[in-house]
Amino acid sequence: MLNVPSQSFPAPSSQQRVASGGRSKVPLKQGRSLMDWIRLTKSGKDLTGLKGRLIEVTEEELKKHNKKDDCWICIRGFVYNVSPYMEYHPGGEDELMRAAGSDGTDLFDQVHRWVNYESMLKECLVGRMAIKPAVSKDYHEEKKVLNGLSHEVEEDFSVRVVENVGKIEIVLKKKETTSWKRLGHPLENHNSLIPRKDTGLYYRKCQLISKEGVTHDTKLFCLMLPPSAHLQVPTGQHVYLKLTITGTEIVKPYTPVSDFLLSEFKEPVLLNNKYIYFLIKVYPDGLFTPELDHLQIGDSVSVSNPEGNFKTSQFQELEDLFLLAAGTGFTPMAKILNYALTNIPSLRKVKLMFFNKTEDDIIWRSQLEKLAFKDKRFDVEFVLSAPTSEWNGKRGHISPALLSEFLKRSLDKSKVLICICGPTPFTEQGIRLLHELNFSKDEIHSFTA
């Protein structure tokens, strides 16, 4: 008997591409959306061609199925017939064909390891590979020990992360003021090293505490972490939110923000180590955000551990920081802005060019203007593509003319970093224009909107 894989691991499929350097989406045919795929998987149609049987697949057998109309792919020891999914794949057929008739685990992890293929492709499961994949040589298995600390500790604890040296300090409080003769026993996997790419994503269920309007279509969601949990999302990284929609797990990446742009703008109402905030635009015709918006206070949302390739070491000796954001592409910029102005002594100038359709779409406009007034190193420019006749600011879309005027260094050879985030066409067009303006690859970092 073969075991069908659990649906709880990593995170379900999303049509959104992954962090900077990720593959782009391709236009899908009419009737080939994510919702259409979910309907097909629930239609009862045989998507494997095996009439419900699960088989063991040898490497030789796997290699035979390497064509678009007969395409099997192995992911983490399980084999799927992805031919029916070809036209529904946001990354296009060619992307799937790169792994046709072979083990696509490494390729899958490079592009979008957070996608819950187990949930999305469960009706395409052919079976298990006849030879189990070898355990990583770095993985050291120890005898399981059930007990950890020798005494109880308070649920409340503190965590201090020193990013620049990679150290973490955890302070636990004893429940009783007695002397401990020993710390306790090591738990399972103590002293084991597992490559990050093999760990998958860990989700914790968080509780929706509040949601408040920021613009006419964007809301600030506040989620509370479970008891005794701590989640530190590094600057420039994102997490994945997971909901079950019509029986299928759906995931979207979002960048956490603070409840305000800078902490001194507002007295903290909630303790930061227990709450996590997201600025999210609600699309009425979308699949994920309407479900998120319909949640009631107290409902649960699953939140993953952080991912992303942005390193704050890029700020070292930085003199000029330019931020290009469109719509909710502003969210990663919020933390970057805060971090840079607070922690980078070499910084001379920070400029944000914020693209939106109308004035009503501008997120945290008053806070940005207040910050520009408070800190003379910071300047913000708003660009609208569909302004009213009363608008006196810049108009249009991202263009060479706008960028060449905006991206002026404080000194001729000052160290520069340009961060860009927005819808895929905005980001791709922006990166192309930046290269045309002779900015190097090392001076540019793009984020997923």
Side-chain angles (χ1 to χ4, degrees):
M1 179 69 72
L2 294 171
N3 294 321
V4 178
S6 158
Q7 295 180 34
S8 62
F9 174 71
S13 186
S14 157
Q15 296 188 34
Q16 193 150 355
R17 70 177 189 167
V18 191
S20 75
R23 55 94 172 110
S24 298
K25 294 188 292 184
V26 300
L28 296 174
K29 296 178 182 177
Q30 189 72 23
R32 295 297 184 269
S33 69
L34 175 58
M35 201 65 226
D36 292 317
W37 172 250
I38 292 174
R39 291 192 192 100
L40 178 61
T41 63
K42 296 183 182 301
S43 67
K45 185 176 180 180
D46 179 16
L47 300 182
T48 64
L50 298 175
K51 299 180 180 179
R53 292 181 299 120
L54 292 177
I55 63 174
E56 286 198 336
V57 182
T58 63
E59 286 189 33
E60 291 73 21
E61 181 66 24
L62 179 63
K63 289 176 183 177
K64 296 176 184 176
H65 302 270
N66 60 359
K67 301 177 181 64
K68 284 188 179 180
D69 59 352
D70 181 21
C71 182
W72 290 8
I73 292 175
C74 173
I75 304 176
R76 294 191 176 89
F78 291 93
V79 178
Y80 300 88
N81 179 0
V82 298
S83 298
Y85 184 59
M86 285 283 181
E87 293 186 349
Y88 297 84
H89 184 232
E93 296 180 3
D94 292 343
E95 187 78 13
L96 284 177
M97 287 303 297
R98 292 171 65 191
S102 66
D103 189 330
T105 304
D106 288 343
L107 181 62
F108 176 85
D109 285 343
Q110 289 170 20
V111 180
H112 41 29
R113 76 185 187 96
W114 50 275
V115 170
N116 192 341
Y117 61 91
E118 295 165 311
S119 178
M120 293 302 297
L121 299 176
K122 60 185 176 183
E123 299 303 326
C124 300
L125 180 66
V126 171
R128 191 193 295 266
M129 286 297 292
I131 302 173
K132 293 182 179 180
V135 177
S136 167
K137 64 182 180 181
D138 291 328
Y139 182 81
H140 174 63
E141 194 169 346
E142 288 193 352
K143 182 180 178 181
K144 185 173 182 180
V145 181
L146 293 177
N147 49 334
L149 294 173
S150 59
H151 293 71
E152 286 188 294
V153 295
E154 299 281 356
E155 284 191 1
D156 189 25
F157 62 96
S158 65
V159 178
R160 188 169 70 93
V161 178
V162 186
E163 287 189 47
N164 58 341
V165 295
K167 288 189 176 181
I168 301 175
E169 178 186 82
I170 303 174
V171 179
L172 305 174
K173 299 177 183 177
K174 297 178 182 178
K175 268 199 171 181
E176 298 176 357
T177 56
T178 57
S179 176
W180 290 16
K181 293 182 179 178
R182 62 171 185 231
L183 184 61
H185 297 288
L187 296 176
E188 183 182 14
N189 296 336
H190 176 67
N191 275 342
S192 63
L193 297 174
I194 304 174
R196 185 180 177 187
K197 67 181 181 66
D198 295 336
T199 59
L201 288 179
Y202 171 75
Y203 282 86
R204 72 276 296 148
K205 279 198 172 182
C206 298
Q207 190 176 39
L208 179 63
I209 296 300
S210 67
K211 51 182 174 179
E212 59 181 68
V214 176
T215 70
H216 63 99
D217 60 2
T218 301
K219 295 185 178 181
L220 181 69
F221 290 78
C222 175
L223 303 178
M224 183 172 68
L225 295 168
S228 300
H230 178 86
L231 180 62
Q232 176 101 8
V233 181
T235 300
Q237 295 199 13
H238 56 272
V239 298
Y240 299 101
L241 302 187
K242 177 167 68 173
L243 292 174
T244 300
I245 301 174
T246 62
T248 300
E249 291 178 340
I250 306 297
V251 156
K252 288 285 186 179
Y254 291 102
T255 304
V257 297
S258 301
D259 57 337
F260 253 60
L261 189 58
L262 287 181
S263 57
E264 59 258 38
F265 285 1
K266 181 184 178 185
E267 287 296 319
V269 178
L270 302 172
L271 295 174
N272 291 331
N273 61 346
K274 290 189 177 181
Y275 300 89
I276 185 167
Y277 297 87
F278 299 92
L279 278 170
I280 297 175
K281 181 176 180 177
V282 179
Y283 296 90
D285 298 327
L287 177 64
F288 189 86
T289 55
E291 288 289 329
L292 187 66
D293 192 35
H294 290 154
L295 293 178
Q296 301 299 308
I297 302 303
D299 286 348
S300 294
V301 181
S302 294
V303 180
S304 78
N305 46 296
E307 286 216 328
N309 56 10
F310 184 83
K311 300 286 192 298
T312 53
S313 57
Q314 293 173 256
F315 287 141
Q316 194 170 0
E317 298 179 0
L318 189 69
E319 294 168 281
D320 295 332
L321 175 61
F322 297 103
L323 309 174
L324 302 170
T328 50
F330 166 73
T331 55
M333 308 306 180
K335 270 194 171 182
I336 286 174
L337 193 55
N338 196 336
Y339 183 91
L341 291 173
T342 306
N343 297 287
I344 312 301
S346 58
L347 203 61
R348 289 195 183 93
K349 180 166 60 178
V350 183
K351 293 180 71 176
L352 167 67
M353 183 169 274
F354 196 1
F355 293 81
N356 288 279
K357 287 185 179 179
T358 69
E359 285 187 79
D360 291 339
D361 295 318
I362 302 174
I363 297 170
W364 283 353
R365 178 180 179 179
S366 63
Q367 291 190 56
L368 289 166
E369 291 173 337
K370 185 175 179 181
L371 177 59
F373 178 79
K374 175 181 177 292
D375 194 322
K376 299 306 178 186
R377 295 173 298 169
F378 175 64
D379 186 35
V380 58
E381 295 181 14
F382 302 111
V383 183
L384 302 183
S385 60
T388 62
S389 56
E390 289 81 21
W391 175 251
N392 295 319
K394 288 184 168 62
R395 301 165 179 255
H397 299 86
I398 192 167
S399 66
L402 281 174
L403 292 185
S404 58
E405 181 185 351
F406 177 71
L407 299 169
K408 291 182 178 177
R409 300 172 188 255
S410 58
L411 296 173
D412 286 344
K413 294 184 179 179
S414 60
K415 184 176 179 182
V416 169
L417 179 65
I418 303 168
C419 296
I420 182 168
C421 187
T424 302
F426 170 85
T427 302
E428 292 179 346
Q429 169 81 343
I431 292 173
R432 184 179 64 79
L433 293 175
L434 291 172
H435 287 315
E436 289 178 4
L437 291 170
N438 295 320
F439 288 99
S440 70
K441 183 180 178 181
D442 292 338
E443 293 174 324
I444 304 168
H445 189 95
S446 63
F447 297 91
T448 300

